[in-house]
Structure formats: C-alpha cells, structure tokens
Amino acid sequence: MTPKHKPGPVVPSKDELVAYIKSQHDKVGIREIARAYGLKNENRAVLKTLLRELADEGKIARRKKSMHKAAGLPPVVLADVTTRDADGELIAVPADWDEDERGAPPKIRVVVPRRARPGEIPGVGDRALLRTEEVPEPDEDGIRFRGRPIKVLDKARHRVLGIFRALPDGSGRLVPVDKKSLGRELTIRSGDTGDATEGDLVAVDVARGRFGQATGKVKERLGSLASERAVSLIAIHAHGIPHVFSREVLTEADSAKPATLAGREDWREVPFVTIDPADAKDHDDAVFARPDSDPENPGGFVIDVAIADVAAYVRPGTAMDREALERGNSVYFPDRVVPMLPERISNDLCSLRPQEDRPALVARMVIGADGVKRRHTFHRVLMRSVARLHYAQAQAAADGHADDTTAPLLSLVLEPLYAAYEALKRARNARSPLDLDLPERKILLKPDFTVDRVIVPQRLEAHRLIEEYMILANVAAAETLERARTPLIYRVHDEPGLEKLNALREFLKTIDISLQKSGALRPAQFNGILSRVKGREYETLVNEVVLRSQAQAEYASENYGHFGLNLRRYAHFTSPIRRYADLVVHRALITAKKLGRDGLPDGTDAIALGEVAARISAAERRAMAAERETVDRLIAHHLADRIGATFQGHVGGVVRSGLFVKLDDTGADGFVPASTLGRDFYRYEEAQHALIGEATGESWRLGDPVTVKLVEAAPVAGALRFEIVSDGRIVPRPKGARHERPRSFGRGGRRR
C-alpha cells in the first residue's frame, strides 16, 4: 500500500497511519513514514505525537523507533516458556516486555523441530531464544505468533538456594537467600542433609508432604560461608553466572602467543598513556592527543584512542569465544571479579601495560576547535604505552601537582589531552546529553572481605576526559560500519515511553514545573528541569524521578539511536576485554577495513547479530542484578549488629505497601511497611510519588529526608527493615476541608 498523493505534505490521520503500517511487511520507523508521505522536519514532531498516541491506544506497537502492528514482535525474541496448552504444546512470552508501555505480552506458540537435539528443546520455566513469525490469522487459542527455538539459555531451576543451618538431631533448616522468601524456612530431615555443614550455601530440591508442608533435600553443596567470599558466591549461583573456566578454555588461553608486527602498523613511538582507577587490574584503552598541524583546522586536534586487540586472540567459534558469549560481560563485585575472558588474555596479553608491545585497534579522530569530529580512520597497530596513570594522579598533574611519573609527560602528553578535552566539552555542551546528578557509592572492604566503609568517589575532570574520548571513538566505530554496510551491534537507548512521560508530567505539576506535551523530545528538556531544581530541597527527588522515567539501554542489531547521549548512532568499541558487544564491533571493523582474517565469520548478518544482542543484553541485566544484590547483602551484614540504631536517609521509593528508604551514609536500602507509619490510613498517590494520610494529611514523598530506626536485618537475603521516627510533611488541604479523626486501628495503635 502506498499513501495517496496530496497537494503538498499533509500529516496523515491516525486511521491512515494504522492502515499504512499494517500494509508493510517489515517494521517501519518515523523516517520511512515521513518519506512515504513527503513530510518535512516541521511536520515530523506532529507525526511523532500521533504515533505515540496510537501506541498508547494499543492500535500499533512501538518497538523502540520502529512501528508495527499492535503487540508485534521482532524476528528474534528472548522468551520465557510459561506453560503448556491442552495439547501439550509449549507457550512462551517475551522476557523483555514493558507492560506499562505496551500492555499484556503476546503469547508465542513454541514449535519444536522434529530433529531437534535434547539440549535444543526448552521446557516450562526455561528461557530461550526464539525465531518468531506472525501467522496470518490467530489460532483457536487466539495466539498469533510462532517461535522456533534457536538456543535454550537458562534451564528451569526447580531448586531453592539457601544457607544450611544444622540442628542437634542431625536434621537442618534452610534459610533462603531470596528477599521474597524471607520467613519461609525449609525443614531438612536428617537423612536429606547430604554432606552439608553449618553455614554452607546449598541447592535444595523442594517436596511437599501429605499435609502440604514443604521439606527440602540437599542436592548440591555450593560453598561455605565460613571459608569463602560467600556474599558474591550467593549472587553468582542465584543468577546462574558462569564463573569457572573449562579446561578447554584455559588451554586455549595459555597456548596463545603474543601478537607480532606482522600485518600491523608500527605505532610504538606514539606516547600513549592509560588512565584508569587506581585498583584496575586490566587496561584496555590508551589515549594520545596533539594539536592538528593542518592550517585549515586552526585550534583543532588529532585524537588517538587505542583499544586492546582482543580479536587477535579470541577467534570466532573457539572455546574462548563460546564462553565469552555465554558470559556476555565481566561481572564486578566488591570482593571479586568474574571476568569474561581468562586472565592470560584479560590481564596479560590484552592489557596495555607500560613499556610492553601490545596489539591494538586505533581510532584516529580529527576534531575542530568546536570539538566536532571532522573525520576519522581506523588502524590495526602494535603500540607501547609509556605510562599507567590513575585518575587522581592525572588530575593532580593537570592541576599543577605532578609527581615523578607525570612530570615528564606534562607538555607532550597530558596538556594536549586536556586541551583536546576542552574542545570536546564544547561539542558536548552543544549536544546537551542527559545530565543526571546521582552520585555512585563504592564499598571499601577490610582484609577479611567485610565492609570497612562506603564512600562516594570524587568525580574528576580526568574521569570526564576519558569518557568523552571513549564516546567519540564509539561513534566513529558505528559510523564506519554503517558506511561500509557491515552488520554490527549498536548500543541503543530509547526515549521515554508515553506512560512514563505522562507520569513525569503529572509529578512535575506538583512542584510547579511543566513538561511540554508536543514537539520532538530531547535530553535538553530534562536538563532544563534539572537545572531549575539545582540546590533546592527537592533536587534529589527530581533527579530520581527523571531517572525512573528513562528507558533502559540495551544492545540491538537495529539502530534507534541513543537518547541519553543524544547521538544518532552509537556502538560499544572501547572495552572488548569485558564486553562481548565490543568484541563483535572489533571483528566487524576488521572485516569492513580489511585488517585481517579474524573478523566476522562468513554469513554473519543482522539476524545473527540480533540473536547475539538479545543474549548479551540479558547477560548485562543478570550482572546488574547480581552486583546490586551483593552490595545489599554486604551492607546488611555490616549493619546487622546495629539493631535499634537510628540513621539519616531519604525516601528512595514509594509503593502502596510502604516506603523504601535509602540511608545517606551507606546508600543501604530498607523497607518501611505502611502499617508502621503512624496513626492514620495512608493513601498511595502515584502522581506525587507519595503516601498521604487521609485524616492527618501527613505525607512521605520520594526524596523526603527521614530519620529511621533499624528494626530487622537479614544479611543472607540483603534485606533491612526500618521504622520512621521523624515526622512527615503536612500536605495543605483545600479551603473548607478539615482533617478527620483517624479511623479504627489494630494492635499497637497501628492501622491494620
């Protein structure tokens, strides 16, 4: 179907848009629709608004910046198998589905090929990659999608993880490690304890007795809390994170030989430096900058970003490659790192150590005095770093306090690096990416791996310098591969969905700030809001709410831009030691620029990379959850002996059942049940992110400062429970309204 020709570009109606989108075999974006109807820039904002409204009405589905028929699915889906139908066929739903934005997830009928091997057949509770297609008409159960399994990623776990507590009669009990299972301890009979001893982390099969009482049988001992760094061990096993390299992988890594100059440019005279955290074990990026000598680029610079050439050692299809894809990324815990690659590769052959020859891919970028990139090239080189610096050390030198290492580097290396960064800042300010002010905390451990203290590391210009250099190189990589028509994995970040925007708009009204309803959405609009609340009492609150309105960044083989960075095309190129996406981009660059035979495998296309993107996005979310839970457990251990102590904090979340409170000194999160708040019934006001007392008008809102008392700590689950001992704020009532007497209360004077 093609749109009817009209006298001049006229924005189509909603019905016309739905009809046009349904007529397309493939997903279409705003660009394709605008081109089809001849719309110019001034009409695209109106088109965007209409498409959002159609998505909100459920008439179309919006997959990032692509539109398709309602409840549509991409060709490759990460899905959870949830049930079987009456005929025994498997039914799945998408694992990554935002119901707030897109409604109920569509069901997928799993079609298992007759010749499938056992490991390729999913079961109920499994997570798998499915290649999906939409059938012309829904079947008798109303299911419109079929999915063929590509790979089963996570087998269903019919076991429970917990800590074994031995009892005198030879039996035991299991203390669950999951917050949701708190208070539901399992009994383990004396004959079912296996070889578990007091304090062991164990996997237990759950069975039901005649009267429904649950009992457990120890099936596997996973480690000892007494002898190992057990807090991260819990998260590793709870999330199924691969953490032991096979003998085949280690053999491949140990047999790897250092790369030579063959097939590479010799860049060993370029004085690259690495700038990393002081405790970094591997160094996969190095930088150098110099003023551009081209008279046509006055005030410009040439910037070189060298990235460890991991592709030279990790070849497609090898055991190391398969393991790296399975892991997806390195996982960083306060007490250990679970690396994506063996140490022989990550900490040795690919670590850009000073005064040692190392293979690298280099992005050479020329920028103008305004910081805008004018051109770039990619090179496969042998380089040699001249120094390993940490952020505070580099910043001290730039501030006039050089040490023995940085003093000889000032004029040749550090001063040009900072001068080029000043130009990049101009381009960044003009681009105006999202600029949230939410400090990150770091846990410092004692030698016994318990918490010493929690700090907020200072954000230095040296941090921002490296960030801007890496962003510039990532953009250059994406542009090069697009120009060469080579498939790649993008790092993408969608703009906020309509539901979240409406919720944000309603919240901002409560503090007399407006968010426009029409026109193209830009990060600068959020930055304007953040600047208005800078230094005001609800600065933290607004930063938190704006953050929650944002979509989650992910990997994809289709490009819909990076909203937070305000970039049209962006790919991860700069950390192939710890992210599989970057390794794929390196291979794509090697193929596109003909830099060797170890590029993308033959036949690699967007569909194949879509499968990889789905897997590593899931691995990234798995790592984030494991890291967050480990921090929660460490701090809960740290605070367990301080029951009854009071702390200063702020409300970090509001739900119907109560408040989540974040402590100011440690960043620890705990819960305050609504039933303990006070002598009132508290109504949940979603738009205001608040609980408000019906009779008293007393309220607690997201971001409010509070004083809390710690009443319970469950270190194994990482859970804390608080009571608020400070008063809430009083919400002004309309004229003529009066506070009512509190309604009836339960035990202890609390409303039940």
Side-chain angles (χ1 to χ4, degrees), residues 256-320:
K257 300 292 189 296
T260 66
L261 193 56
R264 300 177 180 277
E265 300 175 42
D266 190 348
W267 283 40
R268 287 175 290 182
E269 297 304 315
V270 178
F272 284 105
V273 295
T274 61
I275 306 177
D276 292 295
D279 56 356
K281 297 294 191 297
D282 52 60
H283 310 274
D284 54 3
D285 59 81
V287 292
F288 177 69
R290 58 180 171 82
D292 190 2
S293 58
D294 185 350
E296 295 186 3
N297 187 25
F301 291 86
V302 179
I303 294 174
D304 294 329
V305 174
I307 306 299
D309 188 0
V310 176
Y313 300 106
V314 183
R315 306 296 176 88
T318 60
M320 271 200 294

Side-chain angles (χ1 to χ4, degrees), residues 311 313-319 321-322 580 583 587 597-601:
Y313 300 106
V314 183
R315 306 296 176 88
T318 60
D321 181 51
R322 292 192 299 271
Y580 194 82
L583 176 56
R587 289 171 177 166
R597 298 180 180 178
D598 43 5
L600 291 175

Side-chain angles (χ1 to χ4, degrees), residues 31-99:
R31 183 185 304 174
E32 290 77 16
I33 298 172
R35 187 182 298 124
Y37 285 91
L39 301 181
K40 303 301 181 183
N41 289 339
E42 60 270 18
N43 290 322
R44 289 197 179 195
V46 179
L47 174 63
K48 205 173 204 179
T49 300
L50 288 175
L51 291 170
R52 281 185 187 164
E53 291 174 355
L54 285 170
D56 190 43
E57 294 164 6
K59 294 180 179 178
I60 64 170
R62 183 167 170 268
R63 174 64 180 168
K64 310 308 178 186
K65 289 194 176 177
S66 296
M67 264 60 65
H68 41 91
K69 287 175 280 187
L73 291 174
V76 177
V77 173
L78 185 68
D80 291 324
V81 182
T82 57
T83 187
R84 291 183 183 271
D85 65 9
D87 297 324
E89 292 190 325
L90 295 169
I91 306 298
V93 296
D96 185 16
W97 187 271
D98 191 337
E99 292 194 35

Side-chain angles (χ1 to χ4, degrees), residues 522-536:
R522 294 285 183 269
Q525 294 167 245
F526 295 106
N527 292 340
I529 292 167
L530 298 173
S531 66
R532 288 183 60 181
V533 301
K534 192 78 172 175
R536 299 170 70 176

Side-chain angles (χ1 to χ4, degrees), residues 275 390-392 394-395 418 421 460-467:
I275 306 177
H390 58 78
Y391 288 114
Q395 191 61 50
Y418 273 84
Y421 166 61
L460 304 170
E461 284 293 275
H463 292 98
R464 298 182 178 92
L465 180 151
I466 293 299
E467 286 176 3

Side-chain angles (χ1 to χ4, degrees), residues 42 56 172 211 225 245 266 297 434 533 548 582 598 605 710:
E42 60 270 18
D56 190 43
F211 301 103
L225 290 180
F245 288 110
D266 190 348
N297 187 25
L434 188 61
V533 301
R548 293 174 189 214
D582 304 55
D598 43 5
D605 56 17
L710 179 62

